[in-house]
Amino acid sequence: MNSVYELLKGYIPIKAARKVRSEGDMIIASNNSGHIYYLNGTAAYIWCIIDGALSIEGLEQKIFAEYKASPERIKNDLVIFIRDMQWKKLIRLKEVR
C-alpha cells in the first residue's frame, strides 16, 4: 500500500459531493448517483480537512498531528479512504504543479 501512497501523495483531493450533513453522523450525497454515504469519525475528520489546497501528503501530516497513529497506519488508511471516495465519485484528484 505504501507504493500507492507514494504515487498519490502529490495529488490534491477535490470534493465532488452534492450535499453534506455533519450534525450527528457525517452524511454525504453523491453528485452522480444520489447515493447517500455515512462516514465514521476518522473518515469524517479526513473529509473535513480536505480543502482543495492540501495535498494527500499534507493531509497525512495533519492526520498524524491529530491522531498520533503510526505513519504507516495513517498512510494505509488514507489511501483506502481516497480510493474509496474516488470509486464513489465523491472526490477527484488534481495534480500539484
Side-chain angles (χ1 to χ4, degrees), residues 45-95:
Y45 175 76
I46 295 170
W47 181 265
C48 289
I49 63 172
I50 293 174
D51 62 2
L54 272 177
S55 68
I56 290 173
E57 185 174 33
L59 294 173
E60 182 257 328
Q61 293 166 359
K62 208 166 186 175
I63 295 164
F64 181 74
E66 179 71 21
Y67 284 94
K68 304 293 188 214
S70 75
E72 292 309 308
R73 169 86 189 256
I74 291 170
K75 288 174 185 176
N76 278 341
D77 289 353
L78 187 54
V79 165
I80 291 167
F81 175 83
I82 294 295
R83 292 173 84 188
D84 188 44
M85 294 294 108
Q86 277 187 290
W87 182 78
K88 293 173 180 167
K89 296 184 176 19
L90 295 172
I91 64 167
R92 62 182 177 79
L93 297 180
K94 180 176 95 174
E95 192 170 2

Side-chain angles (χ1 to χ4, degrees), residues 6 8 14 18-19 23-24 26 38-39 43-44 52 55 66 69 71 76 86 88 96:
E6 290 302 318
L8 293 177
I14 308 294
R18 177 182 302 160
K19 188 170 185 176
E23 302 88 35
M26 174 75 73
Y38 294 88
L39 301 181
S55 68
E66 179 71 21
N76 278 341
Q86 277 187 290
K88 293 173 180 167
V96 175

